[in-house]
Amino acid sequence: MNTELETNTANHKISAKTRFSIVAVALVAFMGILAETSLNVTFPTLEKTFGLPLSTVQWVTTAYLLVVAIVMPTSSYISQRFQNRTLFFSGLIFFTLGDLLSLISPNFTILMAGRLIQGIGTGIAIPLMFNLVLTKIPRERVGLWMGFAGMILSIAPALGPTYGGLLTGTLGWRMIFAIILIIPICLFPLGAWAIEKSEKKRPGKFDFIAFIFLSLVMTSALLALDSLSSAHFSWIWLVVFILGLIAFIWRSKTSTLNFIDINVFKSPTFTLSVLVYCILQFVNLGINFIIPNFLQVSLGATSTLAGFALLPGSLIGSAAQGPIGALYDRKGAKGILYSGNTVFFISLVLLTIFTKNLTLLGVMGLYVVFTIGRSSSFATTMTNSLAQLPHDKAASGNAWFTTTSQFAASAGTATASLIATKSSNLTTGTQHVFMFFLCLALLNFVFYTLILNKKIK
């Protein structure tokens, strides 16, 4: 076990370098998610700039999230194979290069390439952030620090549209990539000081075949979903998805090489928690996609106002993450999970009922309620599940949470776009999106009841 972890656990103290190392990695994760969602509000502008439909433009977010999801399954292996310093600087360099390429992109193809490179950096940083918390922080304070990590993942998706909308309406969408470069410049020296070298195991060979199968599963699933927007559904991608999933499960069960451990799904609590976590992320990114577009197209708001509409909710929801994590440490998960999902459910009921009568202020108010409910459930679901896994399974459990949630985020954006574009107009489409998400929130109550049932643990 890591010497620092043993010292921290014994003394319940966390060194300054440990704190700042987590902060440095969290800021890379923050940049990645900010870059992920800041373009959502620019879609009407990008449609005009490149002469492309919404169904195509939305891939700058969907494909980005897909790459993040594909990279994340490697986190369990690379966290053992490489030092934290190496992973930190690799993620930071990939993100910076992708950001520069997106900034100077002369066409949509180059913009997509930049986004894909950025996605690699984000895919490295997010699981690294959680791994640092789980290995460097004493168990007695994990809830608080997981709340901090959850705050990063909660505030960035909603700040993204505000940041992107403000710049698109004033300096132009390319400045989204220009201004964000300030953070990497500051992080290089901070990471060099705070993130120390550590002993690493020498794991066996990486299972590239299992990795390829899982990547194929996620990619084909999104392409099958995207084909629903065309006149003819692509059954070929559905078949590829099914065969790829069977092949991945077979390979995971028979291979002795190192990859993300599928055996953690033998725990019903873990499996159900991953489903809930994915639903929360699916709905969150779908909402963050549809609301800015609804405000601009249906209500005639500027890109600046459309992005700003999500800011109050994001600040309140993210500020609540720390206290929620501390409350989990004292009281446990049950009350937080049920009350959080109740608030989450009520917000979607109101958004569905009043869609056609919503104003900018109405959207802002209901988004505050939505974010408080989602934030309460989000980090608590993951923390409660990982706390019940054996220590040697924590890295794999973390990898599955981060991987599946990013894929769910990608699918949430694609699904919201699909439902909206298939409707007669964007207002009706937005209401249908809210209605679908409402059904998922209702399903979460069933999952939470099973998760908290001691008989299935």
Side-chain angles (χ1 to χ4, degrees):
M1 184 178 291
N2 187 287
T3 303
E4 184 179 358
L5 176 60
E6 292 176 344
T7 303
N8 284 342
T9 304
N11 299 330
H12 303 292
K13 293 181 180 179
I14 304 170
S15 68
K17 283 195 172 184
T18 295
R19 293 173 187 269
F20 279 105
S21 66
I22 294 173
V23 168
V25 178
L27 285 174
V28 181
F30 175 85
M31 283 193 307
I33 300 173
L34 186 72
E36 163 197 318
T37 56
S38 58
L39 288 193
N40 284 352
V41 74
T42 69
F43 287 170
T45 301
L46 294 179
E47 288 177 63
K48 296 176 183 177
T49 301
F50 297 113
L52 298 170
L54 178 62
S55 58
T56 300
V57 170
Q58 60 91 19
W59 276 96
V60 297
T61 295
T62 300
Y64 175 93
L65 289 166
L66 177 61
V67 170
V68 174
I70 288 173
V71 172
M72 280 183 173
T74 67
S75 64
S76 179
Y77 175 83
I78 65 176
S79 67
Q80 299 178 63
R81 177 67 179 81
F82 300 102
Q83 294 191 14
N84 293 332
R85 283 175 64 90
T86 304
L87 296 178
F88 170 77
F89 285 113
S90 297
L92 190 56
I93 289 169
F94 273 116
F95 181 87
T96 304
L97 290 176
D99 191 80
L100 285 169
L101 191 58
S102 299
L103 172 63
I104 63 174
S105 55
N107 53 53
F108 187 74
T109 302
I110 301 300
L111 174 61
M112 282 290 297
R115 294 288 283 171
L116 298 180
I117 295 172
Q118 275 187 312
I120 297 174
T122 305
I124 294 172
I126 293 177
L128 177 60
M129 174 179 65
F130 285 115
N131 280 333
L132 283 176
V133 172
L134 291 171
T135 58
K136 297 286 188 179
I137 301 298
R139 182 172 290 273
E140 292 78 8
R141 300 182 67 181
V142 162
L144 178 63
W145 280 86
M146 286 294 278
F148 167 74
M151 179 183 71
I152 295 297
L153 298 185
S154 296
I155 190 173
L159 281 180
T162 305
Y163 169 75
L166 179 63
L167 291 177
T168 300
T170 53
L171 302 176
W173 64 270
R174 291 183 187 276
M175 292 304 293
I176 293 172
F177 301 105
I179 293 178
I180 208 173
L181 280 174
I182 297 171
I183 300 178
I185 292 171
C186 298
L187 287 183
F188 276 105
L190 177 61
W193 171 75
I195 302 178
E196 299 176 312
K197 292 183 178 180
S198 58
E199 292 292 331
K200 287 294 174 183
K201 299 177 181 178
R202 288 288 177 179
K205 293 182 179 180
F206 182 71
D207 195 341
F208 281 102
I209 295 177
F211 172 72
I212 291 170
F213 282 151
L214 184 58
S215 301
L216 186 62
V217 167
M218 292 188 285
T219 304
S220 59
L222 279 182
L223 290 172
L225 180 63
D226 181 66
S227 72
L228 289 171
S229 62
S230 62
H232 301 287
F233 176 69
S234 180
W235 290 99
I236 253 185
W237 287 120
L238 180 60
V239 171
V240 170
F241 166 74
I242 294 171
L243 294 178
L245 183 59
I246 293 171
F248 170 69
I249 294 172
W250 168 80
R251 179 69 182 183
S252 298
K253 291 290 187 180
T254 57
S255 175
T256 58
L257 300 181
N258 283 278
F259 190 51
I260 186 170
D261 187 1
I262 198 173
N263 290 317
V264 289
F265 286 103
K266 290 181 178 179
S267 164
T269 299
F270 179 82
T271 303
L272 291 168
S273 296
V274 169
L275 285 173
V276 170
Y277 198 76
C278 287
I279 287 175
L280 292 170
Q281 188 75 322
F282 180 94
V283 173
N284 185 47
L285 269 292
I287 288 286
N288 287 343
F289 165 81
I290 199 64
I291 283 181
N293 285 280
F294 167 73
L295 291 174
Q296 289 180 83
V297 177
S298 298
L299 300 188
T302 63
S303 59
T304 302
L305 285 176
F308 179 76
L310 305 183
L311 182 59
S314 71
L315 294 178
I316 294 171
S318 60
Q321 287 293 311
I324 289 169
L327 182 63
Y328 168 82
D329 289 333
R330 297 196 307 271
K331 300 292 185 180
K334 185 175 182 179
I336 300 173
L337 296 179
Y338 276 131
S339 59
N341 199 62
T342 298
V343 174
F344 180 67
F345 175 77
I346 290 172
S347 68
L348 289 167
V349 169
L350 296 175
L351 283 169
T352 301
I353 293 173
F354 297 110
T355 304
K356 295 181 180 179
N357 298 309
L358 285 174
T359 62
L360 179 63
L361 289 177
V363 170
M364 291 173 67
L366 289 177
Y367 186 77
V368 169
V369 179
F370 168 84
T371 307
I372 291 173
R374 191 205 66 90
S375 299
S376 298
S377 303
F378 192 62
T380 306
T381 298
M382 181 179 181
T383 305
N384 178 64
S385 177
L386 292 180
Q388 298 177 49
L389 288 178
H391 184 73
D392 61 337
K393 299 290 186 182
S396 289
N398 173 37
W400 276 116
F401 266 106
T402 51
T403 298
T404 55
S405 67
Q406 288 303 304
F407 175 75
S410 182
T413 300
T415 301
S417 171
L418 174 65
I419 294 173
T421 54
K422 282 290 186 179
S423 303
S424 57
N425 56 69
L426 189 59
T427 301
T428 302
T430 299
Q431 187 174 45
H432 291 164
V433 170
F434 292 152
M435 192 179 302
F436 177 60
F437 290 166
L438 173 61
C439 295
L440 295 179
L442 189 60
L443 187 61
N444 271 359
F445 281 115
V446 178
F447 289 150
Y448 277 138
T449 300
L450 293 172
I451 288 169
L452 297 169
N453 184 349
K454 294 182 180 180
K455 292 181 180 179
I456 70 163
K457 291 185 185 297

